[in-house]
Amino acid sequence: MTIILTSCDDDENNVNLLGGGPGSSDPNSIVAGDGFCGPQGGSQALGQASFDSGVTTAKIDTDGNPLMQGHDATWQPGTSGHVNGQPVNSAQYAYVVMSRDQMNASGVSFGDWASVTNQDSGKTVYARVEDRGPPGGTGEISQAAATSVGIQYLDNSATVGDPSVIVQAYADTAAIEGDCTAMASS
């Protein structure tokens, strides 16, 4: 079974819907359907990426999404990072997973901004670093991030095909507030 999720979860009335927003192929107007939107000041506020995965095969992280319990063999009830004191739901927030070594080497912490670009579609979405994964793991993204950039996956979290992504993370950016005004204009 293929799960294709579409919705924007910035509207509090839709918090139980699955999926992320539309993403954008314009790097100057990246849109996230993740409850975080994009960073105030856009990409200029983030500066240079302190972590760049290079082109890697996307993997889907389903942690925090109660609907995935029993479907994904590596499912966890929560994520390592938290938003407003709560673990994030993979279906509702665009986030990326980094290993402890990657975080230490790049200076990236939980809550820092990240971006995910689907090499096939050219779509990019802003995300946050909100989960820690295994050593050397690269390219693991939430369901909302995958949906936002046009990546399809099965109910066991396996991707359809071998989609290539680039994950970039920006150290010391957690304090940059989200700006949802781009959502209204896109």
Side-chain angles (χ1 to χ4, degrees), residues 31-101:
V31 176
D34 64 357
F36 299 119
C37 301
Q40 284 184 354
S43 59
Q44 296 81 8
L46 299 179
Q48 292 291 326
S50 49
F51 171 82
D52 188 322
S53 69
V55 177
T56 186
T57 302
K59 300 168 209 66
I60 308 302
D61 184 71
T62 64
D63 293 348
N65 180 354
L67 299 176
M68 296 306 289
Q69 183 176 11
H71 295 282
D72 179 353
T74 63
W75 179 84
Q76 297 292 316
T79 53
S80 304
H82 293 80
V83 175
N84 297 325
Q86 300 296 315
V88 296
N89 181 326
S90 175
Q92 295 175 338
Y93 293 95
Y95 68 81
V96 301
V97 180
M98 292 180 69
S99 73
R100 183 180 310 274
D101 290 342

